[in-house]
Amino acid sequence: LPQLPFWVTSGHTETLEDVAFRSGAALSHLHLVLSREDVHQSLLRARLALKAATVTSKLEGRLAREADIRGAYHLTPPGEARGPDGDLLAFWRASVRVRPNRIGEIADLVGAEFAGDVGV
């Protein structure tokens, strides 16, 4: 797979324009990678969901690692509570399956309480 060009990730971004330009370059690169047929998008979505669950767990004040979250999700027997970290991964796995042009699906996912925050 092509690597992200060095100039996109190098140095500190000082201005808002630098941040916008580098973000656009990164998104363009991501588009190139995702349009390749040899990239398994389901694996990429699962990996991004795990990363998002890990960050969310840390934001909530827990110290769970990726392995802990993955274990809470995959090793819990059916019908038993997965715990907060397993539930976070379940939420993010459902979130990464939603297509961006279907705002209603996102509103259903986050619930009526937060539906206004996603633009519905």
Side-chain angles (χ1 to χ4, degrees), residues 5-104:
F6 174 74
W7 55 266
V8 173
T9 58
S10 66
H12 287 325
T13 53
E14 300 287 330
T15 66
L16 185 59
E17 291 81 10
D18 289 338
V19 172
F21 181 75
R22 291 174 190 229
S23 297
L27 286 173
S28 175
H29 186 73
L30 182 61
H31 175 72
L32 285 173
V33 169
L34 292 178
S35 63
R36 293 176 56 122
E37 290 187 22
D38 60 340
V39 174
H40 298 281
Q41 293 185 13
S42 60
L43 296 176
L44 179 62
R45 284 193 300 267
R47 183 73 185 137
L48 291 174
L50 180 59
K51 283 286 192 189
T54 304
V55 170
T56 305
S57 179
K58 287 180 182 174
L59 287 173
E60 291 180 350
R62 290 189 299 279
L63 300 175
R65 297 169 299 149
E66 285 184 3
D68 301 330
I69 294 171
R70 190 181 314 111
Y73 179 81
H74 290 290
L75 300 177
T76 302
E80 291 189 22
R82 289 185 288 243
D85 290 319
D87 288 342
L88 269 177
L89 184 54
F91 170 79
W92 282 111
R93 286 178 65 101
S95 298
V96 296
R97 286 188 211 105
V98 175
R99 294 189 181 142
N101 59 349
R102 296 190 177 171
I103 297 294

Side-chain angles (χ1 to χ4, degrees), residues 107-118:
D108 291 342
L109 187 63
V110 298
E113 181 180 348
F114 298 106
D117 295 334
V118 294

